[in-house]
Amino acid sequence: MTRPSSSLLRQPLDKPLLYDSSDRVVPLGDAIGAGGEGTVFEINGHPKLLAKVYHKASLNDQHDHKLRTLVSLGAEDLLGIAAWPRALLFDPRTKAVRGLMMDRVADAHPLHELYGTTSRSRTFPQAQWGHLVLAARNLAAAFGTLHERGVLVGDVNQGNLLVDGKMCVRMIDCDSFQVTHRKHVFRCPVGTPHFTPPELQSMKLADVDRTAEHDAFGLAILIFHLLFVGRHPFAGRYQGPGDMTIEKAIAERRFAFSHNRSDTQVDPPPASLRLDDLPHGIGELFERAFRADIDNPVRPKPEEWIGELETLIKQRRVCPIEEAHVYSSASLDCPWCRIENAGGPSFFLNIGAVDGTSESRLAALDAQLEKIEAIQFPELPTLTLKLPRLPMAMQSAKAPQRGTADWLAAGWIGSAALCLGGAFCGPVLAAGAVGSLATAGMLAFGKAGKQRRQTLVEADAALNERLRKLAAGSSKISADHGKRLEEYDAYAASVSTGIQRYKADTEDMETILRQLRIEQKEDFLRGYSIRDYRRRIPGLTPQMVAMLDSYSIDSAYHVQKILLTGVPGLTPAVMLELQAWRTRVEEKFEYKAEEGITERELNADKQEATRRFKIALARKILQGAKRMRSMAFAAQGQLDQAIAVYKRHVEQWRGLAHQRQQTQAARAPWERKLNLNLATVIGAGVGAPLVGALLWLIVR
Amino acid sequence: MDQLSAESAFSSVEFAENPEPRVPCVLVVDTSTSMQGLKLIELSKGLATYRDQLMKDALASKRVEVGIITFGGRVQRRTKFVTAPDFVPPQLDAIGGTPMGEAILEAITMVEERKQAYRENGIAYYRPWIFLITDGEPNDHWKPVCSRVEAGEKDKSFCFFAVGVEGANMEVLSEISVRKPLWLMGLKFHELFTWLSNSQQAVSQSSPGEEVALQDPTSGPTGWAAI
Ligand SMILES: Nc1ncnc2c1ncn2[C@@H]1O[C@H](COP(=O)(O)OP(=O)(O)OP(=O)(O)O)[C@@H](O)[C@H]1O
Ligand SMILES: [Mg+2]
């Protein structure tokens, strides 16, 4: 429906002389608004009332009848939520109905001033998302009250609803509502296509009896506008061919935020809230409202909305970083921060306790920045990561049980003694030699001796293998930790640059802005990888790309003369082409005032621009601090886990080592030395008689 | 993977902040030497009127977007599409010839780019307006432009209006424009821009796709045109 421009108001208006039902003059005051059907005037002496006077001098019977019925239906609950017609106004001469009187909805504004971000900051500076949810709840309640009385809004739109500072919602333009009286339906002949359900799209509305299902569609659209700060549920990015108007999308049930993307073929618009940012129940209501079966729609009733929205109000959460961000506890992270971090707008601003000036916002942020305590990145416990050493062999308290090998070793010692002593007596030597050879031979080749040697070899091999693994594990832990630390340090460095810039004086702002521009440009250039654009650079072969790669020249940023000249295999022609490509890329660069201000603004009002810059920066720093904290936290967790595993392995190794030492301790000391390995045993077995024989020769 | 144009990538903030449906309008303004003096002065004042009128309407100030292309010597995009609160009428200086053909093609491109940005950002829009104001005749290849304008009007991609100021070659204008070109009476730029803002307010409160009957600019106390 077309609302004529406000210019109507600027044209001279004739103020007709009108009577009320008891023929008293109703003195019209100033006109405060005009619409397609009539002009709305103040009434002198009655500040709480307004008069709507129709443009037409005589109304048709149907309209006349409808207005009289409306006045007769007025009830307290309706008067509370709507500017319901209280009385009629008559032409003094013809007695025809010319207009009506209604309550003035004071200090209230059209709904779009609340959900529109710019108008909200002007008209409702205190309103945060929670307020929008509350307005949605009250809106549903107003629809509920009307529906209880059998009244339908019919022409649902953003202009016929006024909301006040307390988020209470009231309806105007009630003479277009559809009412039923004694079985007679007084229709609402008009509609607004963006709020009209699919089954009524492109129908002639004057011929349609509206139902509560139709109103339910319009109500859901309005609630969506509020919750999604102005987005229309059917305006998204259509993936199919051709243009998709909202009317068409509605008719084809292409709800742009639906979970059923394969059906709708529409992606939600960028930088907006998502359905998943809301509690599941609310998402379901939207899906039901916008994807309802056209032939038999069952859309959410006002009571259902009231229930879900009240739960949402109770379970809302305030962002720990920016207290102006209010969101549903259904989402893990603050969706407003997510949108802002991705370069989207600030839908809600922290206006502090008193006013919306940047000074007070800055003071609030200052206080928060103070609170960033020094964040500790966990240190690597180098002592714990040292490799374990063999424990001392502990002599067990009770005397160890001697085995065959021990006795054989003892036998050899005796034989060896005989061999040495035999230097003076041949038969003794012979006996010693036989004994030595026999005991050593048995120790060397017998089962008992062999087993002892093998146990030791195996134990040592196992211990060594595990030690090697431990060493590898320990160095992996250090390496992983080092990598995390490096990442953290890089991040911390950028945060601390941020803090420095934040603390900078107004005088240094220009330098900072220039620097930001350079950094942004460098990042932009880094985004253009040579490999991806190879085909656009004449003469550049894959081999050259590989060569450039090995010189760490992989993006437009690195295409600099000094860097290029060192690279072998690069012809001067290709070098020029590369540089030309870089110039082309550079031309595409468009500086985005990242922190919200440009040099131009800085020149206009340095103080204010600096404050705005700092506000944006402070938010980033707080975000950064949050991220640093979570990095440190994650690093601690991962380190703890890895160390626990390492420690368990060390314990296992110690267990094995201890066992080895125990076994060793259980052997007689002389056996341990003699039976060290096969060579020692044989050497000793043969050596003793030999030495004896030698001595015998010398002595003789 | 899709290519993302700078236009839409950088405008996502403005669209997210204000997702209201848009009524785009490009003013294609002749700034050739012949416009020098009173004509340009009145036209500049008219632009300020236009802005002020739009600002008076809460919904129109969120929905109507204006962009300006000038042609005087060369074709220049002077103002990218902005809503009234962000519209700063540019300083217009008269210089050079009248490359009208190129300017109209540029306007068509500008409108197409804008529509693409709307689509990528999920913004509904009304049929764009291209509003040509000139006091001369093209000194470049303008013949190919006729078929482009005709095609655009036919498949409803835009509405093309031509306004001739004293000195304009109305014959050429009526060859280019499918709608009858309008002849500005005297220097009634104030009335012209008031009419423009009123018409766009009416459009902005209708629903996209709907035909809105425009006020007749040739009659009444606020009339400014002759045919
Ligand atoms: N009860 C009220 N309290 C405050 N302002 C009101 C009230 N009723 C109407 N107005 C103002 O007057 C304007 C026109 O009123 P209304 O919408 O009832 O007229 P209309 O002729 O029915 O217009 P439309 O063509 O939109 O139906 C409204 O936009 C609003 O600003
Ligand atoms: Mg109305």
Side-chain angles (χ1 to χ4, degrees):
Chain A
M1 127 164 114
T2 311
R3 283 166 202 85
S5 60
S6 47
S7 64
L8 265 181
L9 276 181
R10 293 192 286 274
Q11 284 166 24
L13 282 161
D14 50 332
K15 259 186 238 167
L17 181 68
L18 297 175
Y19 279 3
D20 63 11
S21 54
S22 29
D23 284 354
R24 274 178 310 219
V25 173
V26 177
L28 299 183
D30 291 339
I32 62 141
E37 288 180 298
T39 306
V40 177
F41 293 94
E42 293 181 329
I43 300 175
N44 293 336
H46 296 275
K48 291 193 168 165
L49 290 178
L50 290 174
K52 175 167 177 172
V53 181
Y54 291 101
H55 301 317
K56 280 194 214 149
S58 70
L59 307 176
N60 61 29
D61 284 354
Q62 180 72 9
H63 199 171
D64 181 281
H65 195 175
K66 181 175 182 180
L67 290 181
R68 287 173 197 275
T69 310
L70 281 174
V71 172
S72 75
L73 286 176
E76 266 322 303
D77 52 351
L78 292 177
L79 288 163
I81 53 123
W84 197 268
R86 283 189 178 267
L88 298 179
L89 296 169
F90 303 92
D91 187 302
R93 218 164 27 84
T94 63
K95 303 289 173 209
V97 175
R98 284 297 316 276
L100 52 84
M101 278 193 280
M102 60 187 160
D103 288 351
R104 175 180 208 146
V105 180
D107 302 320
H109 305 269
L111 211 55
H112 66 84
E113 304 230 351
L114 177 62
Y115 62 66
T117 297
T118 315
S119 48
R120 180 176 55 252
S121 63
R122 209 175 35 234
T123 322
F124 299 99
Q126 306 288 340
Q128 292 165 358
W129 193 65
H131 294 77
L132 273 67
V133 180
L134 180 58
R137 185 244 164 243
N138 290 339
L139 179 70
F143 271 74
T145 308
L146 291 181
H147 289 184
E148 271 168 18
R149 294 248 162 204
V151 178
L152 297 172
V153 179
D155 178 21
V156 180
N157 66 53
Q158 73 279 69
N160 286 351
L161 290 151
L162 302 183
V163 57
D164 64 18
K166 293 188 189 131
M167 298 298 119
C168 293
V169 173
R170 263 157 309 163
M171 312 214 177
I172 56 168
D173 206 5
C174 303
D175 45 331
S176 73
F177 288 176
Q178 173 177 302
V179 289
T180 310
H181 186 56
R182 302 214 178 102
K183 299 240 167 90
H184 185 84
V185 178
F186 294 95
R187 289 191 181 129
C188 168
V190 287
T192 305
H194 283 188
F195 295 81
T196 303
E199 61 270 25
L200 297 188
Q201 285 287 335
S202 69
M203 291 254 273
K204 192 154 176 258
L205 295 171
D207 303 338
V208 175
D209 282 348
R210 305 288 180 87
T211 68
E213 286 303 332
H214 302 153
D215 262 18
F217 183 82
L219 171 63
I221 299 243
L222 284 173
I223 294 176
F224 194 92
H225 273 83
L226 283 165
L227 264 47
F228 286 71
V229 283
R231 286 283 181 186
H232 193 286
F234 288 89
R237 291 181 281 187
Y238 177 51
Q239 301 300 308
D243 265 0
M244 178 55 63
T245 63
I246 290 190
E247 289 85 341
K248 203 163 157 231
I250 290 178
E252 296 170 0
R253 304 186 306 150
R254 296 185 193 275
F255 172 34
F257 296 71
S258 174
H259 281 125
N260 205 335
R261 208 73 65 76
S262 57
D263 262 20
T264 58
Q265 295 277 306
V266 185
D267 283 348
S272 76
L273 220 55
R274 299 184 297 228
L275 212 53
D276 287 335
D277 294 324
L278 298 176
H280 181 72
I282 294 200
E284 280 298 299
L285 291 188
F286 280 130
E287 296 268 14
R288 267 177 54 205
F290 301 138
R291 309 257 311 125
D293 180 11
I294 296 184
D295 297 324
N296 187 20
V298 187
R299 302 193 174 101
K301 307 217 162 3
E303 306 87 77
E304 296 180 71
W305 282 115
I306 293 175
E308 288 290 347
L309 291 168
E310 279 181 358
T311 318
L312 175 53
I313 292 171
K314 281 195 208 102
Q315 298 177 348
R316 71 186 188 281
R317 203 185 275 178
V318 176
C319 171
I321 288 167
E322 170 67 73
E323 41 186 305
H325 292 173
V326 176
Y327 58 98
S328 152
S329 59
S331 43
L332 292 175
D333 289 320
C334 172
W336 309 114
C337 282
R338 181 190 72 219
I339 292 171
E340 283 176 28
N341 292 343
S346 306
F347 288 108
F348 298 96
L349 295 175
N350 190 352
I351 20 158
V354 254
D355 58 344
T357 62
S358 50
E359 268 156 308
S360 60
R361 290 187 60 202
L362 201 57
L365 284 169
D366 260 341
Q368 280 196 60
L369 281 178
E370 288 291 310
K371 273 188 266 170
I372 302 181
E373 75 278 39
I375 303 164
Q376 294 282 340
F377 196 80
E379 257 186 62
L380 197 65
T382 32
L383 272 182
T384 319
L385 285 177
K386 265 201 176 151
L387 288 180
R389 303 250 295 271
L390 269 185
M392 294 266 278
M394 290 285 281
Q395 203 66 259
S396 59
K398 70 178 172 38
Q401 285 246 313
R402 300 285 175 228
T404 325
D406 297 320
W407 295 123
L408 284 172
W412 175 82
I413 294 173
S415 310
L418 289 180
C419 286
L420 297 186
F424 311 94
C425 170
V428 174
L429 177 64
V434 172
S436 171
L437 285 172
T439 50
M442 272 153 81
L443 201 55
F445 304 105
K447 198 170 145 214
K450 226 179 185 170
Q451 203 167 25
R452 285 215 169 159
R453 282 198 311 275
Q454 203 175 338
T455 316
L456 181 63
V457 168
E458 276 168 10
D460 281 349
L463 282 174
N464 281 335
E465 171 63 18
R466 280 169 186 256
L467 203 58
R468 224 175 30 73
K469 280 200 183 136
L470 280 177
S474 141
S475 58
K476 181 163 161 29
I477 292 175
S478 317
D480 285 354
H481 188 76
K483 218 190 294 166
R484 281 193 293 267
L485 181 61
E486 206 175 289
E487 233 170 77
Y488 173 85
D489 280 346
Y491 200 82
S494 74
V495 171
S496 83
T497 325
I499 294 182
Q500 270 167 26
R501 282 178 182 160
Y502 179 83
K503 291 192 178 141
D505 294 332
T506 311
E507 281 65 51
D508 299 332
M509 269 304 130
E510 270 136 35
T511 331
I512 292 176
L513 278 189
R514 211 170 312 125
Q515 231 169 314
L516 275 177
R517 184 188 287 271
I518 294 172
E519 280 170 23
Q520 206 180 85
K521 186 165 179 180
E522 286 179 2
D523 281 348
F524 177 81
L525 290 173
R526 279 201 193 90
Y528 282 79
S529 122
I530 297 185
R531 203 169 279 283
D532 292 349
Y533 286 83
R534 184 178 65 77
R535 283 171 215 284
R536 309 250 182 100
I537 305 163
L540 188 67
T541 63
Q543 290 80 0
M544 291 180 191
V545 173
M547 184 53 83
L548 285 167
D549 236 6
S550 67
Y551 278 73
S552 306
I553 298 175
D554 51 16
S555 72
Y557 171 67
H558 298 104
V559 175
Q560 295 164 30
K561 208 162 176 200
I562 349 172
L563 294 180
L564 290 181
T565 35
V567 182
L570 216 57
T571 61
V574 169
M575 229 185 272
L576 283 179
E577 288 293 351
L578 273 167
Q579 278 164 307
W581 171 65
R582 179 189 159 117
T583 314
R584 287 201 298 278
V585 171
E586 268 176 350
E587 273 162 12
K588 277 190 225 162
F589 173 71
E590 194 172 314
Y591 177 63
K592 195 169 115 218
E594 203 177 8
E595 317 288 358
I597 67 162
T598 59
E599 273 116 336
R600 214 179 72 207
E601 283 164 292
L602 197 61
N603 291 336
D605 181 347
K606 207 169 222 172
Q607 294 295 332
E608 177 62 18
T610 308
R611 278 197 290 271
R612 281 201 11 235
F613 174 78
K614 290 194 169 190
I615 287 168
L617 200 56
R619 189 157 338 97
K620 272 201 172 165
I621 296 172
L622 290 173
Q623 280 281 339
K626 184 182 167 199
R627 172 126 174 75
M628 275 166 66
R629 223 169 275 138
S630 74
M631 278 169 112
F633 188 73
Q636 183 74 66
Q638 282 163 316
L639 191 61
D640 286 352
Q641 227 170 30
I643 296 263
V645 173
Y646 180 78
K647 274 187 175 158
R648 214 170 50 234
H649 288 159
V650 168
E651 276 320 304
Q652 284 168 0
W653 188 90
R654 285 227 168 89
L656 282 180
H658 183 69
Q659 215 177 329
R660 173 203 187 267
Q661 297 300 67
Q662 288 301 107
T663 330
Q664 289 303 94
R667 295 165 73 178
W670 56 89
E671 189 271 343
R672 223 186 309 156
K673 298 226 165 73
L674 179 66
N675 197 13
L676 198 58
N677 51 43
L678 199 59
T680 326
V681 183
I682 295 173
V686 180
L690 277 180
V691 174
L694 233 101
L695 282 175
W696 182 68
L697 285 175
I698 295 167
V699 172
R700 221 168 41 113
Chain B
M1 287 259 160
D2 290 3
Q3 294 283 304
L4 192 61
S5 69
E7 157 99 90
S8 64
F10 298 141
S11 48
S12 67
V13 172
E14 83 178 88
F15 290 133
E17 207 163 70
N18 173 18
E20 291 289 332
R22 295 299 206 277
V23 188
C25 172
V26 197
L27 302 176
V28 188
V29 180
D30 187 343
T31 51
S32 61
T33 326
S34 56
M35 287 289 286
Q36 195 141 33
L38 262 186
K39 286 180 190 165
L40 265 196
I41 293 172
E42 287 303 312
L43 197 151
S44 296
K45 280 194 209 151
L47 288 178
T49 309
Y50 180 54
R51 181 198 128 95
D52 295 345
Q53 302 282 24
L54 287 176
M55 283 299 281
K56 284 186 188 153
D57 185 315
L59 217 48
S61 71
K62 291 181 189 179
R63 295 185 167 185
V64 178
E65 285 189 330
V66 59
I68 296 184
I69 288 178
T70 57
F71 55 104
R74 64 199 180 97
V75 174
Q76 254 183 307
R77 288 192 192 190
R78 291 297 296 272
T79 307
K80 57 177 194 173
F81 282 109
V82 283
T83 49
D86 291 326
F87 177 48
V88 184
Q91 165 79 34
L92 300 177
D93 297 308
I95 189 164
T98 319
M100 191 195 297
E102 190 194 329
I104 295 171
L105 289 183
E106 185 67 16
I108 296 176
T109 315
M110 193 165 163
V111 161
E112 286 309 320
E113 280 174 12
R114 194 61 177 169
K115 285 207 268 189
Q116 185 58 27
Y118 293 149
R119 279 184 216 114
E120 276 162 21
N121 285 284
I123 298 295
Y125 56 91
Y126 300 77
R127 194 181 327 169
W129 286 28
I130 298 177
F131 207 86
L132 172 75
I133 301 174
T134 179
D135 73 339
E137 57 184 24
N139 65 357
D140 63 354
H141 285 301
W142 58 275
K143 285 271 182 204
V145 171
C146 302
S147 59
R148 289 289 300 275
V149 171
E150 204 188 324
E153 286 274 9
K154 205 170 139 229
D155 51 26
K156 305 206 161 156
S157 337
F158 54 78
C159 306
F160 185 91
F161 297 90
V163 176
V165 184
E166 192 191 338
N169 182 338
M170 296 306 274
E171 259 164 48
V172 172
L173 287 189
S174 52
E175 265 191 70
I176 295 175
S177 174
V178 176
R179 289 158 211 269
K180 202 137 187 58
L182 298 162
W183 174 260
L184 184 73
M185 297 192 292
L187 289 174
K188 287 196 169 184
F189 278 111
H190 178 81
E191 287 77 2
L192 181 158
F193 280 109
T194 306
W195 174 86
L196 191 61
S197 97
N198 282 344
S199 310
Q200 287 173 342
Q201 281 173 48
V203 171
S204 74
Q205 322 222 329
S206 69
S207 111
E210 184 184 326
E211 285 284 348
V212 176
L214 298 180
Q215 209 177 309
D216 181 3
T218 57
S219 65
T222 55
W224 50 271
I227 297 185

